[in-house]
Amino acid sequence: MIETRGREVPLSYVVTLLVGVALGFVLARFGDFIGRYPVESTLVAVLIASVAVLAWACREMLHDLLRRDRPVAPETEPAPGPRLSAHRPPNGVRR
């Protein structure tokens, strides 16, 4: 028998579908304006895409900043001593 399985749709497919529907709506609504001013329309589209990429990059950076896995030092281990000695040689050069 044929087994029926639910298939998950990748998020990129859904986003592509929604962008296509939005572009179709925009072209149907403002097609004559886009045809009359193609350079300005292209510049506005690039500006919108740039703002979207910038917003995504900011979201990713904040996500990385807030979800950074910081190692937790065990409480039973003693704190490490200072790496540099308090003694300084007479010529001032540390080795």
Side-chain angles (χ1 to χ4, degrees):
M1 285 204 139
I2 298 175
E3 186 177 329
T4 320
R5 289 190 239 176
R7 297 183 74 188
E8 293 184 18
V9 177
L11 182 62
S12 61
Y13 289 2
V14 175
V15 169
T16 303
L17 175 69
L18 292 176
V19 167
V21 169
L23 282 175
F25 174 75
V26 167
L27 284 175
R29 181 89 170 123
F30 303 107
D32 57 339
F33 182 78
I34 293 172
R36 195 176 320 147
Y37 304 106
V39 174
E40 290 84 356
S41 301
T42 304
L43 290 175
V44 168
V46 168
L47 178 66
I48 291 171
S50 301
V51 169
V53 168
L54 182 62
W56 173 79
C58 289
R59 179 192 154 282
E60 288 294 318
M61 288 190 323
L62 285 173
H63 180 73
D64 288 345
L65 180 68
L66 295 177
R67 295 211 170 221
R68 184 176 297 165
D69 292 332
R70 297 185 180 152
V72 178
E75 295 178 12
T76 58
E77 186 177 311
R83 292 184 347 193
L84 300 175
S85 66
H87 174 72
R88 188 172 213 128
N91 63 1
V93 177
R94 293 184 187 205
R95 295 179 191 214

